């Protein structure tokens, strides 16, 4: 059996010169390909000493760092399942993931947890004393590499199980269609706990044996400094609106840049056109999901059209269907469904939920509403799932409403998005108080602060006497959205 371990694939693509920088920072810190291989081998040795074996889950909640990338690679090397969490999650939220995934090891700051845990600093210090474990565990392409939690419409997150084969197929396809080259320099300012920053961005660079400018977070000044020394940028739409809002962003800076990629949330046509007017370059928008990585992409060569996400990737099948699952003709709006080697292995320990989202012929129901033109070019026009995307983070209103509804003084609530100039969409809560309750907006925000990650907390709370409902009793969120649509208009 050939080894389908994703790390073995990366190793086979390492540059000839192992001193070539893999990750580099503005402060001069640098990790070469050889050093990354060595550090991940030491971390792999440490995991083995700690009796971590194939299939064990390693839950990781740490700030973005070169060491954190090596820990991910070490997990691949030993066949452990990497489970990264947003650093903004509260202890309350993290407790759910720990309970659901039963990890063998926690890496991060977990003082109150009875399970074995290490901070990343402790892990690095212990790994430094271990002789490197250079072997790479033999894996089949269906063996799991990672579990990424994605919020559920029921408010409970589901762990999307991604195999070595899922990740490898998607990375190879993107590397190919985006014409990745060894001398590419990727500008990386995304978080590394989601598909976009961890898989799409880093895997393309790893397959190219390329160098990465590794920024701790989005900082428009740093992007302006580094764009002249880079060739590719991947970001959520907020990256591009912030660049455009920065007085120092000019065409001259972008002479070396060959590709600006956007995804995770809709890129406004206005942003696309403003960007082209300044730089002469057309942002390449692509569309994806945690459950599969990337699904469609605008072409590298050929027209990139604002408001569209391009055709299906070469090895992915996409169709637009009616509610009954029957394919609709081009030009009709329906549910976007897809299948391919990138499609996940299901939700961790939730076979019923997995089955609910699958068609009998293996297509996955994305929850996005889309339209295809005659050439198969897709536009995402809405969502059938009740989801808010704020700055590229997905937020399920139900998860916020269920916390709000339990607060004393709250009778019921509805959470909707308002268009926001920086974040795309911002969370708004509409609350009906119980009789005579003196509850204020601040009281509510204070009580949410240790229960919900900051990015999920409402930017505004509006009180009303009753929520609008249809004859079936369902809250008419479209009416609320319409009432709130100008709240953040600048
Ligand atoms: C930070 N805050 C946010 C967000 N980020 N609030 C709402 N939505 C957000 N996305 C809050 C902070 O808690 C803080 O609150 C205040 O906003 C400012 O925080 P700051 O750290 O300064 O924000 P930032 O560094 O400017 O971050 C904004 C950001 C960041 C650059 C948009 O959120 C980001 O990097 N987003 C990318 C997310 C991503 O990678 N998504 C890919 C998912 P306060 O001031 O009150 O404390 S993968 C995916 O969707 C699929 C697979 C795909 O297709 O890619
Ligand atoms: P996640 O659940 O974090 O994996 O986010 C996946 C969701 O992000 C998709 O189902 C879409 O709703 C949304 N998304 C990703 N890329 C795009 C895009 N280019 N345009 C519109 N929506 C997008």
């Amino acid at each position: 059996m050939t080894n389908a371990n994703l790390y073995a694939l990366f190793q086979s693509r390492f540059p000839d010169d192992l001193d070539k920088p893999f990750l580099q920072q503005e402060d001069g810190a640098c990790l070469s390909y050889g050093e990354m291989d060595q550090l991940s081998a030491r971390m792999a040795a440490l995991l083995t000493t700690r009796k971590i074996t194939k299939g064990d889950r390693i839950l990781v909640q740490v700030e973005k760092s070169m060491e954190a990338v090596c820990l991910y690679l070490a997990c691949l090397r030993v066949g452990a399942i990497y489970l990264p969490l947003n650093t903004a999650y509260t202890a309350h939220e993290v407790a759910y993931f720990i309970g659901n995934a039963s990890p063998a090891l926690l890496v991060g700051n977990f003082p109150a947890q009875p399970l074995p845990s290490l901070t990343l600093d402790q892990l690095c210090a212990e790994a430094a004393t271990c002789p490197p474990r250079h072997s790479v565990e033999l894996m089949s392409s269906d063996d799991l590499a990672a579990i990424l939690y994605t919020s559920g419409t029921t408010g409970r997150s589901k762990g999307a199980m991604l195999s070595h084969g899922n990740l490898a197929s998607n990375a190879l396809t993107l590397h190919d269609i985006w014409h990745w080259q060894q001398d590419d320099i990727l500008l990386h300012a995304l978080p590394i706990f989601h598909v976009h920053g961890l898989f799409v961005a880093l895997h393309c660079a790893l397959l190219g044996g390329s160098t990465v400018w590794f920024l701790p977070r989005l900082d428009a000044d740093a992007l302006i400094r580094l764009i002249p020394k880079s060739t590719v940028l991947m970001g959520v739409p907020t990256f591009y609106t912030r660049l455009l809002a920065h007085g120092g962003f000019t065409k001259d800076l972008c002479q070396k840049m060959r590709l600006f990629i956007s995804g995770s949330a809709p890129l406004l046509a206005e942003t696309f056109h403003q960007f082209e007017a300044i730089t002469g370059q057309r942002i390449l928008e692509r569309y994806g999901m945690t459950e599969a990585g990337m699904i469609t992409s605008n072409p590298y060569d050929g027209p990139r059209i604002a408001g569209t996400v391009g055709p299906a990737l070469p090895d992915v099948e996409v169709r637009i269907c009616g509610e009954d699952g029957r394919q609709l003709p081009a030009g009709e709006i329906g549910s976007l469904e897809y299948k391919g080697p990138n499609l996940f292995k299901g939700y961790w320990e939730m076979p019923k939920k997995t089955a609910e989202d699958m068609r009998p012929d293996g297509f996955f129901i994305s929850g996005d509403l889309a339209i295809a033109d005659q050439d198969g070019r897709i536009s995402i026009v809405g969502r059938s799932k009740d989801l808010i995307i704020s700055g590229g983070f997905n937020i399920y209103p139900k998860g916020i409403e269920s916390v709000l509804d339990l607060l004393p003084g709250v009778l019921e609530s509805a959470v909707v998005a308002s268009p926001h100039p920086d974040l795309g969409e911002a969370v708004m809560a509409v609350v009906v108080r119980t009789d005579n309750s003196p509850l204020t907006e601040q009281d509510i925000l204070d009580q949410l602060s240790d229960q919900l990650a900051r990015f999920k907390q409402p930017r505004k709370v509006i009180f009303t006497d009753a929520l609008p409902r249809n004859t079936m009793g369902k809250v008419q969120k479209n009416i609320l959205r319409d009432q709130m649509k100008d709240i953040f208009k600048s």
Side-chain angles (χ1 to χ4, degrees), residues 189-191 193-197 200 217-218 236 238-239 242 263-265 286-290 293-294 390-395 422-423 425 454-456 459:
L190 287 160
F193 42 72
H194 278 315
V195 164
H196 197 163
V200 184
R217 65 183 63 79
L218 174 59
V236 299
T238 303
F239 279 43
R242 290 208 188 159
S264 309
R286 85 322 176 260
Y287 157 82
M289 279 184 84
T290 301
M294 297 303 96
S390 172
F393 284 147
N394 283 13
I395 300 166
D422 182 44
L423 298 168
E425 295 180 342
R454 173 72 189 101
F455 69 90
K456 296 185 197 167
R459 293 282 158 148

Side-chain angles (χ1 to χ4, degrees), residues 150 264-266 285-290 309 368 383 385 389 394:
T150 164
S264 309
E285 184 172 8
R286 85 322 176 260
Y287 157 82
M289 279 184 84
T290 301
V309 293
D368 290 308
R383 300 168 200 143
K385 50 193 174 192
I389 307 185
N394 283 13

Side-chain angles (χ1 to χ4, degrees), residues 168-232:
S169 72
N170 209 230
L172 287 165
T173 300
L174 299 177
H175 178 268
D176 185 39
I177 63 161
W178 292 340
H179 294 208
W180 210 270
Q181 298 143 20
Q182 266 223 356
D183 56 1
D184 266 323
I185 302 178
L186 172 71
L187 187 44
H188 191 301
L190 287 160
I192 54 166
F193 42 72
H194 278 315
V195 164
H196 197 163
L198 181 63
F199 298 150
V200 184
L202 287 179
H203 288 179
C204 279
L206 280 160
L207 288 184
S210 321
T211 295
V212 180
W213 279 114
F214 200 59
L215 272 60
R217 65 183 63 79
L218 174 59
D219 166 356
D221 290 328
L223 291 193
I224 297 282
R225 287 193 299 275
L226 293 175
I227 280 176
K229 303 181 199 170
S230 308
T231 63
V232 181

Side-chain angles (χ1 to χ4, degrees), residues 235-280:
V236 299
T238 303
F239 279 43
Y240 296 102
T241 48
R242 290 208 188 159
L243 275 176
L244 290 170
H246 193 291
F249 185 57
T250 61
K251 182 173 184 165
D252 270 359
L253 294 178
C254 306
Q255 296 305 328
K256 263 185 79 176
M257 287 293 298
R258 70 168 183 89
L259 190 54
F260 290 97
I261 299 178
S262 176
S264 309
L267 180 74
L268 294 180
E270 188 189 324
T271 311
F272 178 95
H273 292 304
Q274 279 179 10
F275 198 86
E276 188 180 13
I278 291 196
T279 64

Side-chain angles (χ1 to χ4, degrees), residues 370-427:
I371 189 165
D373 70 11
Q374 292 294 348
D375 303 328
R377 185 183 287 272
I378 308 286
S379 301
I380 307 295
V381 296
R383 300 168 200 143
S384 54
K385 50 193 174 192
D386 188 12
L387 164 71
I388 296 172
I389 307 185
S390 172
F393 284 147
N394 283 13
I395 300 166
Y396 278 84
K398 181 81 182 128
I400 303 172
E401 290 157 2
S402 48
V403 177
L404 280 170
D405 291 349
L406 291 178
L407 298 182
V410 172
L411 183 64
E412 58 174 354
S413 64
V415 168
V416 292
S418 289
H420 189 277
D422 182 44
L423 298 168
E425 295 180 342
V427 175

